[in-house]
Amino acid sequence: MMKKLPAFTLGVEEEYQIIDPETRDLRSHLSKIVDGAKILLNEQVKAELHQSVVEVGTNICKNVFEAENEIKFLRTKIVELADKQGLIVGGAGTHPFSKWQDQAITDDPRYHNIINELQDAARSNLIFGMHCHVGIENREIGLQLMNQACYFLPHIFALSTNSPFWEGRQTGYKSYRTKVFDKFPRTGLPEYFDSLSAYDCFLDTLVKTNCIDNPKKIWWDLRLHPFYDTIEFRICDMSLTIKETMCIVSIIQAVVAKLYKINLNNMSFNIYRLALIKENKFRASRYGIEGCMIDFGLQKEVETRVLILELLDFIEDVIDELGSREHINYVHEILKNGTGAAKQLAVFEETKDMTKVVDFITGEFIKEL
């Protein structure tokens, strides 16, 4: 008899754009939104490095339905608080035309330290992501799952692509956010570690040698969290809609559950070279779901949409136990209608007006509230 899967609890973090409804530019909220939200939401909201960014995070959720309800609640409250300040809210990996040079930095020692160390690499990091934590039984298992899940990061990332513009330019990428973040140290795909002790030793070495002051400054696309019993997927752009967020979160949870199930049967998913996975990450960033990625087993290019359908087949046998079929099925809408990046580009192609793209982003944000 097959052992029942663990709960694989979820935590979801989203980073929102605070926007002036007149100019459609990013706008500093002078901590008023965050301060107001902390009264209502305690630690579920915090300021980010730039004052025009608000980050929210769910509590620990037992399943995707709890996570969806929390995200809807958090989005609603931030929209209400922004409205009281005469501001609006949007969800995308970058703003279509705002310039980082015009954005105020949050007055906080943590962010002052980051600016002092990273200088313009930090000041220009005007990007917005969605992070997903998946609960694990212990860190040793978590490390194994991190190593194996790395292969699927480009597939998941391709579905999330939602940042085709940067400072008023059409970049040619479906996700330019990742290219901006590449300037930071300790970003990108995670290293392979053959043991938990090797991983912890790596973190300890960076802290002892003053490379970082705490292990959370490992900003990889996927990391075994240094303090929580989770693995954290950090590669995704911020989504336009709740349905997109929850579809991607559900796929992430199912990938972890399937890899866990394989390991439970004393098997392991193939570990591929980081250099190969980087090729697929670039393709996802450049083309989203509209290009091809490499099937390393077949050693040939395959349409990204086909690989995502194969991913659905891979996770099929854990979806119902997780209760996420409804959310995962939304992937077919994304494959049919395009990711957020494709939708933004379609609006710009029709209007040739970046402010209309911002109107689309803010309109999509509140559509499901």
Side-chain angles (χ1 to χ4, degrees):
M1 182 176 178
M2 177 60 67
K3 181 182 176 183
K4 186 177 179 181
L5 291 172
F8 295 113
T9 55
L10 293 167
V12 183
E13 298 166 357
E14 293 191 315
E15 295 169 342
Y16 301 152
Q17 301 184 12
I18 306 302
I19 294 170
D20 186 313
E22 298 297 323
T23 65
R24 276 71 150 215
D25 209 338
L26 288 174
R27 171 93 169 270
S28 168
H29 56 82
L30 299 173
S31 298
K32 291 180 180 178
I33 293 175
V34 170
D35 291 344
K38 282 186 175 179
I39 296 172
L40 298 169
L41 307 170
N42 297 316
E43 298 303 312
Q44 286 187 264
V45 64
K46 65 179 184 179
E48 265 294 344
L49 189 145
H50 294 96
Q51 290 185 16
S52 51
V53 186
V54 170
E55 179 182 326
V56 304
T58 68
N59 292 304
I60 298 172
C61 300
K62 295 177 183 177
N63 53 50
V64 293
F65 293 97
E66 281 192 13
E68 180 180 33
N69 288 337
E70 288 220 16
I71 287 295
K72 185 174 183 178
F73 174 74
L74 290 167
R75 286 192 179 211
T76 299
K77 290 304 176 185
I78 297 302
V79 167
E80 290 173 355
L81 289 164
D83 183 63
K84 290 179 180 178
Q85 305 299 325
L87 301 169
I88 54 178
V89 188
T94 56
H95 186 278
F97 59 82
S98 281
K99 296 189 182 301
W100 62 264
Q101 296 93 334
D102 300 332
Q103 302 303 311
I105 301 298
T106 299
D107 187 12
D108 182 280
R110 177 192 175 200
Y111 297 125
H112 292 321
N113 289 338
I114 290 174
I115 292 290
N116 183 57
E117 180 183 8
L118 300 180
Q119 297 293 309
D120 271 9
R123 296 186 188 97
S124 62
N125 197 51
L126 190 62
I127 57 175
F128 307 79
M130 184 276 286
H131 302 164
C132 177
H133 293 256
V134 182
I136 51 172
E137 291 184 319
N138 62 61
R139 296 180 75 243
E140 190 71 63
I141 292 173
L143 183 77
Q144 296 173 28
L145 298 179
M146 182 184 85
N147 286 333
Q148 295 168 36
C150 189
Y151 171 80
F152 297 102
L153 289 176
H155 305 65
I156 294 164
F157 174 40
L159 286 167
S160 82
T161 49
N162 190 28
S163 51
F165 301 107
W166 179 248
E167 296 196 335
R169 289 182 54 82
Q170 186 172 328
T171 64
Y173 284 78
K174 294 301 188 296
S175 174
Y176 197 68
R177 166 184 155 270
T178 51
K179 312 317 291 182
V180 176
F181 198 36
D182 281 349
K183 292 179 290 189
F184 266 49
R186 302 176 295 279
T187 57
L189 297 167
E191 297 288 335
Y192 172 83
F193 292 92
D194 57 10
S195 69
L196 181 61
S197 60
Y199 179 74
D200 286 339
C201 181
F202 170 75
L203 297 181
D204 289 344
T205 298
L206 292 188
V207 172
K208 287 177 181 176
T209 57
N210 292 321
C211 296
I212 54 178
D213 56 11
N214 78 78
K216 285 183 70 175
K217 287 187 177 176
I218 303 292
W219 293 302
W220 289 332
D221 296 332
L222 173 64
R223 69 180 179 183
L224 179 66
H225 200 280
F227 305 132
Y228 308 135
D229 288 334
T230 69
I231 52 176
E232 181 185 8
F233 290 72
R234 303 169 49 86
I235 196 170
C236 294
D237 281 2
M238 176 62 204
S239 299
L240 287 171
T241 66
I242 298 171
K243 285 184 177 179
E244 288 169 327
T245 289
M246 292 316 305
C247 175
I248 294 165
V249 164
S250 299
I251 291 172
I252 287 171
Q253 183 194 40
V255 165
V256 173
K258 178 57 182 270
L259 293 172
Y260 177 90
K261 187 174 181 179
I262 290 173
N263 283 260
L264 204 62
N265 292 324
N266 294 317
M267 295 184 290
S268 176
F269 191 79
N270 284 342
I271 303 293
Y272 290 98
R273 287 185 179 274
L274 208 59
L276 290 174
I277 301 172
K278 284 179 179 178
E279 294 295 330
N280 274 347
K281 181 186 173 182
F282 165 75
R283 288 166 182 242
S285 176
R286 173 68 176 84
Y287 302 107
I289 60 173
E290 294 165 18
C292 293
M293 291 198 295
I294 306 165
D295 183 315
F296 300 132
L298 297 177
Q299 294 196 339
K300 70 175 186 178
E301 290 181 308
V302 178
E303 287 184 18
T304 300
R305 282 182 167 87
V306 172
L307 288 176
I308 289 170
L309 292 175
E310 291 181 2
L311 173 56
L312 296 186
D313 289 339
F314 176 71
I315 60 178
E316 169 63 30
D317 62 334
V318 299
I319 292 173
D320 288 327
E321 188 169 345
L322 295 170
S324 56
R325 186 168 297 278
E326 175 187 341
H327 295 88
I328 286 176
N329 279 344
Y330 191 75
V331 75
H332 298 292
E333 295 297 318
I334 298 174
L335 294 176
K336 177 184 176 182
N337 299 318
T339 67
K343 293 175 180 178
Q344 286 191 55
L345 289 164
V347 172
F348 184 69
E349 182 64 29
E350 181 182 346
T351 65
K352 305 300 181 187
D353 186 344
M354 290 282 185
T355 65
K356 299 299 183 188
V357 179
V358 177
D359 290 344
F360 171 74
I361 291 168
T362 56
E364 290 292 290
F365 191 87
I366 61 174
K367 192 166 66 173
E368 297 165 13
L369 302 182

